[in-house]
Amino acid sequence: MMAETRGDAERAIHGFQLCVARAPTAPEQELLLKLFRENLEKYRKDPAAAKALMTGTAPAEMDVAELAAWTVVANVLLN
């Protein structure tokens, strides 16, 4: 989601489409964005937790907190 799109809304839509094969409704998109924002705030406050979520190393140009927050969103979409 992060490599193929720019902007939070576009990432939420793209991730949803990859998993569900349709565009999200407005309420579905807002829930994903809310989940992202809540986790981004959490991981900005606790960078060690963001790094612990990663199984490898994040590319240097990616914000680890943002990557961790999108990882949470992706996990929700896949489950």
Side-chain angles (χ1 to χ4, degrees):
M1 291 184 308
M2 289 186 71
E4 296 178 7
T5 57
R6 300 276 183 243
D8 297 340
E10 292 81 11
R11 287 180 175 146
I13 292 167
H14 183 63
F16 190 95
Q17 287 176 322
L18 288 171
C19 294
V20 185
R22 67 171 174 82
T25 63
E28 289 169 332
Q29 182 179 346
E30 190 51 44
L31 284 172
L32 293 174
L33 289 171
K34 181 179 182 217
L35 178 65
F36 167 72
R37 290 183 199 114
E38 288 171 352
N39 280 279
L40 181 61
E41 182 179 336
K42 170 188 167 185
Y43 290 122
R44 290 236 190 271
K45 291 178 182 176
D46 189 358
K51 289 179 184 174
L53 185 63
M54 302 295 105
T55 57
T57 57
E61 68 277 1
M62 288 191 179
D63 179 325
V64 175
E66 188 175 1
L67 184 57
W70 280 117
T71 299
V72 171
V73 173
N75 286 334
V76 167
L77 287 170
L78 290 170
N79 288 309

